[in-house]
Amino acid sequence: MGNDNERNEEKRLLQEKSTFFSTSFIRFLGGKNLFFFLVIMLLLGVIIFVYDKISFIFAPLQVLLNVIILPGVLGVILYYLLRPALKLLVKWNVPRSLGILILYIVVAGFITLLALLVFPFLRDQFTSLVQDFPIYFMSAAESVVSFLNNSRINDYFQTVNFSYDEFLMDFQDDLVVTVKETMTNIASGVASGITGFVSTITGILLSLVIVPFIAFYLLYEGEKLPKFVLKIFPPRMRKGVGEVLHDMDKQISSYIQGQILVSFCIGVMMTIGFTIIGLDYALLLGFIAMITSVVPYLGPAIAATPAAIIAIVHSPLMLVYLIIVWTIVQLIEGKFISPQIMGKSLSIHPITIIFVLLTAGSLFGVPGVVLGLPGYALIKVLVTHAYRLFKNRYNDFQTDEANYYEKKVN
């Protein structure tokens, strides 16, 4: 009798003893599912390694991505720009297809008006600036050298046998040689690269022609896309996936619409300010500021460089006026325009923005600089929702309520 009780007690203790997959930590990570997940990741790594050795198989896919990425991005931008106006027309009981047609007519008329009235003037100013910019640059360099020669810094450089005048002459000679070599290389490469150049221009033109069609289908059936995506997921996951899609759509919409409006305001204010102080090429420099302001922080600094060079050549007082105009515009944009238009839609720290722009630019060049921030915003949405799911799962396996991340709301 006693032996039976001992055996029952040992059996009970063995049953209560936790296995590796039944420990709280492993159950929190997924239990046996974790093991299968690691196996799948290992197999995925092997597959990637194998396909890396036969990467030529992916060449058609790479060509496809290169073909569709430009019209796709431009189509999405046009979609987010026109969607608010289309929603307003639909709210006024205008059929969706007719509303899209009206918007296209308005956009086409606006582009035609710009091409007829503004573009010729910008073209003339750009041609003149390209011709005169080397003169402006060398005049600015000579002004800086003259200032340094009359400053105390000159005494220090004389002790190390450094001459500004010799440096400037050498720089001029190197610049002339570089320009000649560049023109020679361009001339020699025109014949051999004419086919590639024509192919590239043709691809860009075809991409621009495809953009209105992509935007049309996005505007016409874009509201159905999230519902189609949700049907792919199991029913119990659709609510969470729907929240992720909604937040991603909100982030991209706020960024595209807000950044373009902010850039337009900066361009207008810069043009008005340059005109008031009498700076040459005011409209062209304002247009450059508008285009480059699409990239936060770095864009305005890039746009101010040619304006500063022209101002230095004009007079030192003009440079002071330029600094005043640039400061006023940045203050108005930072304190009034951006908070009202964009608010805190991205909620990204300025230091983070700079690091994202530098990293994306190093990896993907100019497209990376332009698309780095919206890409970061999408990744941030995914990580935020994944972390929320992590906290909820932690609470499910946490018996001590004091250690909860937050109270669960059922």
Side-chain angles (χ1 to χ4, degrees):
M1 188 69 179
N3 293 334
D4 292 339
N5 292 333
E6 291 178 0
R7 283 195 294 268
N8 292 333
E9 184 67 17
E10 292 176 358
K11 184 182 295 184
R12 187 181 65 80
L13 292 175
L14 289 174
Q15 290 176 350
E16 292 180 355
K17 186 177 180 180
S18 297
T19 62
F20 174 76
F21 289 107
S22 62
T23 58
S24 59
F25 179 72
I26 297 300
R27 286 190 298 115
F28 161 67
L29 293 178
K32 293 183 179 180
N33 292 332
L34 174 63
F35 173 75
F36 291 112
F37 174 76
L38 294 176
V39 172
I40 291 174
M41 293 300 294
L42 179 61
L43 292 176
L44 182 62
V46 173
I47 293 173
I48 293 175
F49 175 78
V50 172
Y51 276 92
D52 181 62
K53 301 300 180 181
I54 51 175
S55 57
F56 60 89
I57 294 178
F58 297 99
L61 180 61
Q62 183 178 0
V63 173
L64 177 63
L65 290 176
N66 292 335
V67 169
I68 67 175
I69 188 170
L70 177 60
V73 170
L74 295 179
V76 169
I77 292 175
L78 186 60
Y79 163 70
Y80 279 111
L81 289 178
L82 298 181
R83 187 175 66 172
L86 180 62
K87 287 184 177 181
L88 186 62
L89 292 176
V90 171
K91 187 178 180 180
W92 292 344
N93 297 322
V94 177
R96 181 172 290 270
S97 57
L98 180 60
I100 297 173
L101 180 61
I102 293 174
L103 291 177
Y104 272 31
I105 292 175
V106 172
V107 171
F110 179 72
I111 294 175
T112 303
L113 187 64
L114 288 179
L116 294 177
L117 299 180
V118 180
F119 176 74
F121 187 68
L122 286 177
R123 179 194 60 200
D124 295 339
Q125 282 204 343
F126 180 77
T127 303
S128 178
L129 180 60
V130 169
Q131 295 174 350
D132 297 339
F133 191 77
I135 301 175
Y136 280 117
F137 184 82
M138 295 310 303
S139 299
E142 291 174 356
S143 300
V144 173
V145 168
S146 177
F147 171 78
L148 292 176
N149 282 328
N150 297 321
S151 65
R152 294 182 179 180
I153 303 177
N154 186 48
D155 297 334
Y156 170 75
F157 281 107
Q158 285 181 352
T159 60
V160 293
N161 296 323
F162 180 83
S163 174
Y164 303 114
D165 297 326
E166 292 180 1
F167 174 77
L168 184 60
M169 293 299 297
D170 293 339
F171 180 79
Q172 288 178 334
D173 295 338
D174 293 340
L175 182 63
V176 172
V177 172
T178 302
V179 171
K180 289 182 178 180
E181 291 179 353
T182 303
M183 296 303 295
T184 303
N185 293 333
I186 293 175
S188 61
V190 165
S192 59
I194 189 67
T195 303
F197 178 76
V198 172
S199 177
T200 302
I201 295 298
T202 303
I204 294 176
L205 292 177
L206 289 177
S207 298
L208 295 178
V209 171
I210 295 173
V211 167
F213 296 97
I214 296 176
F216 176 84
Y217 284 106
L218 288 175
L219 290 168
Y220 190 76
E221 299 184 345
E223 304 296 334
K224 301 178 182 178
L225 183 60
K227 299 178 181 178
F228 173 77
V229 174
L230 290 178
K231 291 181 181 179
I232 301 176
F233 294 89
R236 63 189 182 91
M237 295 179 61
R238 290 175 183 173
K239 181 179 179 181
V241 174
E243 293 176 355
V244 173
L245 294 177
H246 177 267
D247 289 347
M248 293 173 67
D249 176 74
K250 183 179 178 181
Q251 291 281 326
I252 296 299
S253 175
S254 300
Y255 179 79
I256 292 177
Q257 297 170 7
Q259 194 62 46
I260 289 180
L261 285 176
V262 169
S263 300
F264 178 76
C265 293
I266 290 176
V268 171
M269 290 190 297
M270 285 289 193
T271 302
I272 294 174
F274 293 159
T275 303
I276 291 175
I277 65 176
L279 186 66
D280 296 335
Y281 308 106
L283 181 61
L284 178 61
L285 294 174
F287 179 77
I288 294 174
M290 180 183 68
I291 298 300
T292 57
S293 295
V294 174
V295 181
Y297 298 102
L298 298 181
I302 296 173
T305 302
I309 294 175
I310 296 174
I312 291 174
V313 174
H314 192 280
S315 68
L317 186 60
M318 180 63 70
L319 180 61
V320 176
Y321 291 155
L322 172 65
I323 295 174
I324 294 174
V325 169
W326 190 85
T327 303
I328 292 175
V329 170
Q330 292 303 309
L331 287 175
I332 294 175
E333 182 270 332
K335 298 297 183 181
F336 301 101
I337 297 178
S338 290
Q340 295 297 324
I341 295 178
M342 298 188 67
K344 296 183 178 180
S345 57
L346 293 182
S347 300
I348 304 176
H349 195 275
I351 297 298
T352 305
I353 291 177
I354 293 175
F355 279 120
V356 168
L357 293 176
L358 293 177
T359 304
S362 299
L363 292 176
F364 307 107
V366 176
V369 173
V370 176
L371 303 177
L373 284 180
Y376 174 83
L378 295 182
I379 295 175
K380 184 179 178 182
V381 169
L382 295 175
V383 172
T384 301
H385 282 271
Y387 181 62
R388 190 186 65 182
L389 295 175
F390 170 82
K391 292 194 297 183
N392 292 336
R393 186 170 181 83
Y394 178 85
N395 288 340
D396 290 337
F397 290 93
Q398 178 55 252
T399 57
D400 187 0
E401 189 172 342
N403 292 327
Y404 278 15
Y405 273 107
E406 58 187 9
K407 291 289 186 181
K408 290 192 299 182
V409 179
N410 295 325

